[in-house]
Amino acid sequence: MTTPELLPISLVAHQAFCPRRAWLEAAGESTDTHQVQVGVQAHTPADDPTGSRSRRYRAVDVVSHDLGVYGRCDTVELDDDAAMTVVEHKATPVRRRPEVTEPMRIQVALQARALADMGYPVAGQAVYFTNHRVRVDITLSPADVAAAREMVAATARTLDAEQAPPPLENDRRCSRCSHISVCLPDERPLAPVTRRIVVADPDTQVLHLTTPGSRAYVERGRIEVSKSGEKLGSFPIERVQGLVVHGNVDLSSGLIREVLWRSLSVVWCTSTGRVTGWARPAQGPNGGPRLLQHVASHNGRIDLARQFVTAKIANQATLLRRHGNAPDTVTRLRELQRAALDALSLTDLFGIEGEAAASYFAQFLTMFRPKVVEAEQLTFSVRTRRPARDPINAALNLCYGLLTADILRAVVACGLDPHAGFLHSSGRNKPALALDLVEEFRAAVADSVVITAFNNGELRVRDFTTVLGTTRISANGRKALIAGYERRVTGTFRHPIFGYEVSWRRAMEIQARLVLGVIDGTQPRYEGIKIR
Ligand code: SF4
């Protein structure tokens, strides 16, 4: 990372809390946890300069070229002698004591010194704890100022380093850190995790727009969907974590702008599930690691490719063992799973993956209830992508498209480039990394959704039409399958490595972040998700 000429004071305070936290901030990683929202709310009055009164100024910008920092004081108070007191506003989660920490001392020390360097007399400094409504005055010693100066230098060293600082190990600071869900300090060793991880608002949903000829637009903070003057739906935009547009649905430019402004992405698919494009915000995190990703993709990372294929085959074997009737195939898949771990080249891996796929899909129909197969006259023997030759293939195509859309969002969210992959070739102009990660989720998520939808009667053969050898899914069938897919990805499972309950959608982002860790050097190795 390149160190800017002047460092933000807040970044130096993050360095004092944890060097990795400073790195993540500088790399553009932002989170939207409850903790962050509380902090933002607590600062809202202090961020408004129009709230200034005589002797009490708000949102005062300060700079010190001597220290090499700039920042903003929440409040600056004037006493009778026109000397100033810097007051920093801090939100603390309820029940914690209003105590001044080392990063806070560093922060107010730098603010006060910057104010003094600008020629204003400084009388003191304080922290105002907004939740407790308690103000704590701070007396600074020359040692505090020296420590603040040293912390500025340490921040510059952190940013100058070629590699991200490693996460802290078993450190209590992590449970108080708003960046734990993107830093993943507990997941790095690829072992069971006991600490609870707070993720960005877990109640938000991906909105699928499926009605042909409809139009979606934003109005008064809601996404409105209508067709021919009839309103089809209305959703609060803050509850949406991404948009997937299926087929012929129009989005207003206002909606696209609003979604991107909120750092969300939009994925467009055909009505059969093929991903045709996506839009992502101009600003994204981890520009440095993205460059390393391209180098790694060019040089090859067989260790990553092996894991994608191994996990894919393992999950095919588990799904077939659970729901099918083909023990010999399961045994062969387990052998191929082990062989993939030892593959010496991508060519070998493709050979193993191809044999596994042929064996698995040859027995795919055994996972459907015999009564359903008979009543619906279901047939399936081989995967036919484009065009789909039967209802099961058409349903699989749609679910793989939904899965690709989700993985694309996860890859983009952590700043990686969907096009620079390790198993799929980047030269084929496809989103290679997204397709790499899709592999380990295919059986556990998409295949499972298709099997469940037919077995439960949510999907019937009458939901499909076949014309000139191409099978297409009807609008009702698509809605049923998308609903089943959403239930699956928002539902939780016990993570096979970390042992905690996690939604499949969150698991996709974790896997993308583990790939990021391998690329930026903070993750010793990658392991795909293998369901048991
Ligand atoms: S989660 Fe822990 S290691 Fe990661 S940035 Fe926060 S304090 Fe540092």
Side-chain angles (χ1 to χ4, degrees):
M1 228 181 275
T2 322
T3 310
E5 199 182 323
L6 291 174
L7 293 171
I9 290 174
S10 56
L11 195 66
V12 182
H14 289 317
Q15 165 82 26
F17 178 70
C18 164
R20 183 166 167 82
R21 172 74 194 271
W23 173 283
L24 291 173
E25 285 283 343
E29 288 280 21
S30 59
T31 58
D32 190 23
T33 57
H34 173 69
Q35 200 177 343
V36 171
Q37 287 169 11
V38 168
V40 169
Q41 273 169 16
H43 263 90
T44 304
D47 282 342
D48 181 8
T50 59
S52 300
R53 293 188 218 121
S54 74
R55 299 193 167 214
R56 204 151 193 269
Y57 297 98
R58 286 189 160 161
V60 177
D61 291 325
V62 292
V63 62
S64 166
H65 292 279
D66 171 42
L67 289 166
V69 293
Y70 70 95
R72 175 170 276 194
C73 303
D74 290 333
T75 307
V76 171
E77 296 172 352
L78 251 65
D79 65 15
D80 290 343
D81 301 325
M84 299 180 168
T85 297
V86 170
V87 184
E88 173 66 15
H89 292 226
K90 288 289 178 207
T92 48
V94 192
R95 275 181 277 131
R96 287 194 58 223
R97 282 178 298 150
E99 58 187 7
V100 176
T101 61
E102 182 61 13
M104 292 179 202
R105 288 186 85 81
I106 301 261
Q107 189 170 6
V108 293
L110 292 173
Q111 289 168 341
R113 271 304 303 268
L115 208 51
D117 285 356
M118 291 164 70
Y120 299 108
V122 177
Q125 36 298 299
V127 173
Y128 177 66
F129 292 93
T130 54
N131 297 100
H132 298 84
R133 301 186 181 197
V134 168
R135 171 182 167 135
V136 179
D137 289 309
I138 301 174
T139 306
L140 294 176
S141 68
D144 286 316
V145 178
R149 189 181 280 276
E150 166 48 30
M151 201 54 74
V152 176
T155 311
R157 286 197 294 275
T158 296
L159 301 195
D160 275 343
E162 289 190 350
Q163 202 176 331
L168 303 172
E169 281 180 37
N170 294 324
D171 195 294
R172 288 182 55 210
R173 271 173 287 179
C174 296
S175 11
R176 304 201 302 267
C177 178
S178 61
H179 280 53
I180 191 168
S181 64
V182 298
C183 172
L184 303 180
D186 297 339
E187 286 83 347
R188 300 283 156 184
L190 296 176
V193 173
T194 49
R195 190 159 37 191
R196 196 168 77 89
I197 310 292
V198 181
V199 298
D201 199 341
D203 296 331
T204 52
Q205 298 278 327
V206 169
L207 183 60
H208 294 266
L209 300 166
T210 59
T211 308
S214 62
R215 182 167 190 272
Y217 53 95
V218 66
E219 196 172 275
R220 290 192 217 102
R222 298 181 74 85
I223 298 177
E224 308 283 353
V225 186
S226 63
K227 182 179 178 183
S228 308
E230 185 194 344
K231 193 167 273 191
L232 302 179
S234 174
F235 313 90
I237 197 163
E238 71 268 14
R239 299 249 64 82
V240 172
Q241 62 171 272
L243 287 182
V244 181
V245 183
H246 299 261
N248 177 26
V249 178
D250 225 18
L251 296 193
S252 77
S253 57
L255 174 57
I256 296 172
R257 192 170 56 239
E258 182 73 21
V259 167
L260 297 182
W261 182 79
R262 288 170 181 265
S263 293
L264 307 176
S265 17
V266 188
V267 180
W268 281 268
C269 303
T270 63
S271 55
T272 56
R274 183 147 54 101
V275 172
T276 51
W278 58 94
R280 57 188 284 184
Q283 296 208 328
N286 296 315
R290 200 154 55 242
L291 278 178
L292 297 177
Q293 178 196 354
H294 281 273
V295 175
S297 172
H298 176 74
N299 293 340
R301 287 292 301 249
I302 188 79
D303 55 329
L304 287 171
R306 279 190 199 118
Q307 282 297 328
F308 298 138
V309 175
T310 305
K312 174 185 183 177
I313 300 174
N315 293 337
Q316 289 173 332
T318 302
L319 203 68
L320 200 54
R321 173 179 57 74
R322 277 191 201 162
H323 304 289
N325 184 18
D328 292 346
T329 305
V330 172
T331 305
R332 180 60 188 148
L333 287 173
R334 293 294 181 209
E335 289 166 7
L336 291 169
Q337 171 191 337
R338 286 189 288 276
L341 266 188
D342 296 328
L344 295 176
S345 66
L346 284 182
T347 311
D348 291 351
L349 265 180
F350 288 132
I352 294 166
E353 186 191 21
E355 185 190 335
S359 314
Y360 168 73
F361 283 117
Q363 301 298 331
F364 199 68
L365 204 56
T366 68
M367 292 192 275
F368 292 72
R369 282 197 190 133
K371 263 167 62 179
V372 173
V373 174
E374 193 186 331
E376 297 288 318
Q377 298 193 328
L378 286 176
T379 55
F380 182 91
S381 57
V382 69
R383 265 292 283 143
T384 54
R385 288 178 180 79
R386 321 248 173 246
R389 297 285 182 205
D390 53 68
I392 293 179
N393 268 303
L396 286 174
N397 281 353
L398 179 55
C399 280
Y400 292 155
L402 296 173
L403 185 55
T404 307
D406 259 329
I407 299 276
L408 270 167
R409 289 179 41 258
V411 166
V412 167
C414 61
L416 292 173
D417 183 347
H419 278 276
F422 305 98
L423 175 66
H424 293 83
S425 164
S426 305
R428 291 181 60 216
N429 299 324
K430 299 210 166 171
L433 177 61
L435 296 176
D436 288 356
L437 277 163
V438 159
E439 298 299 356
E440 62 190 85
F441 293 95
R442 271 187 205 277
V445 174
D447 297 359
S448 167
V449 168
V450 171
I451 294 163
T452 307
F454 275 106
N455 282 348
N456 290 350
E458 292 156 339
L459 261 191
R460 308 283 300 273
V461 165
R462 67 176 181 225
D463 294 315
F464 299 83
T465 50
T466 301
V467 177
L468 297 175
T470 299
T471 303
R472 293 187 201 281
I473 189 165
S474 70
N476 280 344
R478 192 177 318 123
K479 276 184 190 156
L481 205 48
I482 291 171
Y485 176 86
E486 277 299 310
R487 275 199 305 278
R488 181 72 175 163
V489 291
T490 52
T492 60
F493 71 111
R494 185 169 290 278
H495 197 288
I497 303 170
F498 308 130
Y500 53 55
E501 286 289 317
V502 65
S503 75
W504 278 102
R505 188 166 270 145
R506 167 70 184 156
M508 294 172 200
E509 181 167 342
I510 292 175
Q511 293 307 105
R513 289 197 172 276
L514 293 181
V515 171
L516 170 68
V518 169
I519 290 166
D520 75 12
T522 52
Q523 176 68 38
R525 65 189 173 85
Y526 179 80
E527 193 172 323
I529 288 188
K530 299 190 232 16
I531 53 170
R532 299 198 179 113

